[in-house]
Amino acid sequence: MQIRNNFSVRLLMTAALTVAAMGAYASENVKVGLMLPYSGTFAELGQNITNGFKLAIEEKDGKIAGRTVEYVELDDESAPAKANENANRLIRRDKVDVLVGTVHSGVALTMARVAKNTGTLMIIPNAGADELTGALCAPNIFRASFSNWQVGYAVGALMAQKHKTAVSLAWNYAAGDEQTAGFKEAFEKRGGKVIRHLSLPFPNTEFQPLLTQIATIQPDAVYSFVAGAAQVKLTQDYHAAGLKDRIPLYGAFLTEGTLEAQGPSAQGMLTALHYADGLDTPKNKAFIEAYKKSHGEAPDVFAVQGYDSAQLFIAGLEAVDGDTSKKEEMIQAMQSAELDSPRGPLSFSESHNPVMNMYIREARGDQNVMVGMAVEALADPSPDCEM
Ligand code: BEZ
């Protein structure tokens, strides 16, 4: 009896020592803070990012390196003025291990400053603000989506294949200004000329006065950036104004995720983006099938970006066996990750921004079908990033 008791005590002590050696983290949940828009113009984008993120985690039975994933979700309302308080709440009160967000560039810029000051790991699943992987870049900040320069540049490369003059139309905040700059750079480098820039405040959708100006100026084509629910209003107003067949309308996101609501107003439109429906790869096919099974609808680029944000986090956390205190090792693994994304091969530049193909797509029925390549393996030059 005595011998058996001693044996039990030794067993218990060994188990306790093993747990201690693994670190207290092993039995703790890993906390993911999802700071995204769940209301307003970008609500659907926030939801689809969440769906994509959770799908990648579900594919691992809800655990990364043995640690159960727990979510704290916060509606950022696409409100830059509330971003500081919201990000601090997730980091200081909820003690999240990673901050995932957001859609709106202005909100993300504030989040990145908070992440940088507190050393919190941040993964950006949409916002394109160039500064995030430019002047504000940091070892703990990663982007799994695109830079505004990248998506604008791809559309400029596409439009220059077909047109000589263009007018640009965009919301006048970081995303609109920077995407338009990327567009202009690529378009003019290839011989095009941007003859006028028209803008309106975010999230305004009163396009009529701008469309009247376009009809008067008569450019060869129009470049645009608005997103989410506003895409539907823009293509419908453009069609109703009789411009669709006279002056082709382009954009990166213009027809993404909204084709059903846009109806005939978007059919035939060409866009350039880092995803196309029905890309013929095993990964994309499996992703579409799994997403449809979970959510009853096909995924869009925002769901893909959410999925890849989770894939990137998984790559980092698995490399350190779930030990988030090994920050440097984790960052190293994320930086060198080569992900099999539904969008195609996905790697990361030194500034932690995606390097990826930019596809030309045509809106046909309910799909943005790939019809060519705008730019292969496009990397943001990130000239202002000093890690
Ligand atoms: C942005 O604010 O960066 C953004 C929002 C929606 C779509 C694309 C970019």
Side-chain angles (χ1 to χ4, degrees):
M1 195 63 180
Q2 186 59 40
I3 291 169
R4 263 179 62 193
N5 273 348
N6 280 346
F7 182 67
S8 306
V9 169
R10 272 208 308 277
L11 252 184
L12 274 173
M13 280 174 64
T14 311
L17 282 172
T18 309
V19 168
M22 282 170 74
Y25 68 86
S27 59
E28 280 173 16
N29 290 352
V30 62
K31 270 193 175 182
V32 175
L34 296 173
M35 182 167 154
L36 288 161
Y38 295 113
S39 60
T41 305
F42 291 158
E44 196 156 328
L45 283 61
Q47 191 54 56
N48 294 351
I49 288 168
T50 304
N51 293 346
F53 193 100
K54 289 186 176 175
L55 178 60
I57 304 296
E58 276 156 27
E59 285 175 353
K60 302 199 71 78
D61 294 325
K63 288 184 181 188
I64 310 173
R67 296 181 66 183
T68 299
V69 178
E70 180 185 336
Y71 300 100
V72 185
E73 292 175 27
L74 191 154
D75 179 8
D76 69 32
E77 304 169 55
S78 297
K82 298 183 184 174
N84 187 49
E85 191 186 331
N86 284 337
N88 270 297
R89 184 184 312 169
L90 286 172
I91 293 168
R92 295 181 203 280
R93 188 192 71 182
D94 301 316
K95 308 216 176 318
V96 299
D97 294 295
V98 59
L99 188 60
V100 177
T102 185
V103 170
H104 186 286
S105 276
V107 177
L109 285 166
T110 298
M111 289 173 73
R113 287 189 188 100
V114 177
K116 204 168 173 173
N117 289 340
T118 56
T120 309
L121 180 65
M122 174 175 176
I123 301 177
I124 302 150
N126 185 73
D130 294 339
E131 226 183 313
L132 292 166
T133 51
L136 258 179
C137 75
N140 56 313
I141 299 177
F142 286 83
R143 175 151 51 198
S145 49
F146 57 89
S147 73
N148 285 324
W149 177 88
Q150 273 176 310
V151 288
Y153 191 91
V155 182
L158 158 65
M159 287 175 67
Q161 292 175 12
K162 298 171 184 292
H163 308 288
K164 284 277 167 253
T165 63
V167 161
S168 52
L169 180 167
W171 273 328
N172 60 4
Y173 78 105
D177 299 344
E178 293 172 353
Q179 290 188 25
T180 302
F183 150 69
K184 187 172 156 70
E185 182 184 327
F187 188 63
E188 297 198 335
K189 203 153 89 182
R190 291 163 174 76
K193 181 84 196 133
V194 179
I195 51 180
R196 185 84 60 86
H197 178 61
L198 307 172
S199 69
L200 71 173
F202 170 85
N204 195 320
T205 56
E206 276 157 34
F207 299 117
Q208 208 49 58
L210 307 182
L211 303 190
T212 304
Q213 288 189 60
I214 289 167
T216 308
I217 301 167
Q218 298 210 9
D220 291 347
V222 171
Y223 166 82
S224 69
F225 170 72
V226 295
Q231 293 165 195
V232 181
K233 176 86 167 31
L234 177 59
T235 60
Q236 288 183 342
D237 286 2
Y238 203 82
H239 193 204
L243 293 170
K244 180 172 184 265
D245 298 326
R246 284 170 41 212
I247 306 174
L249 179 65
Y250 293 81
F253 296 92
L254 185 62
T255 56
E256 186 61 25
T258 44
L259 280 171
E260 204 182 315
Q262 287 170 313
S265 74
Q267 289 301 302
M269 281 186 174
L270 294 177
T271 50
L273 202 62
H274 45 284
Y275 183 62
D277 295 312
L279 278 180
D280 195 11
T281 64
K283 182 70 184 181
N284 191 40
K285 284 183 181 156
F287 172 70
I288 292 173
E289 197 183 314
Y291 192 92
K292 277 186 176 164
K293 207 167 150 199
S294 300
H295 302 290
E297 59 178 17
D300 59 11
V301 75
F302 305 105
V304 172
Q305 292 168 180
Y307 185 83
D308 289 337
S309 298
Q311 289 212 92
L312 183 59
F313 185 52
I314 291 166
L317 200 53
E318 284 188 342
V320 293
D321 282 331
D323 184 353
T324 40
S325 71
K326 293 183 177 163
K327 263 202 181 135
E328 262 176 46
E329 263 179 70
M330 201 170 158
I331 285 169
Q332 194 52 50
M334 290 170 72
Q335 200 164 300
S336 54
E338 293 192 356
L339 301 180
D340 185 11
S341 164
R343 74 184 88 173
L346 175 61
S347 59
F348 297 86
S349 63
E350 281 178 18
S351 65
H352 296 177
N353 194 65
V355 180
M356 60 198 171
N357 295 333
M358 305 300 295
Y359 306 103
I360 301 174
R361 308 112 46 88
E362 183 176 337
R364 290 186 196 153
D366 62 358
Q367 297 224 317
N368 287 295
V369 179
M370 180 189 167
V371 292
M373 186 72 84
V375 191
E376 210 170 332
L378 182 63
D380 186 297
S382 309
D384 301 322
C385 170
E386 280 175 34
M387 285 279 182

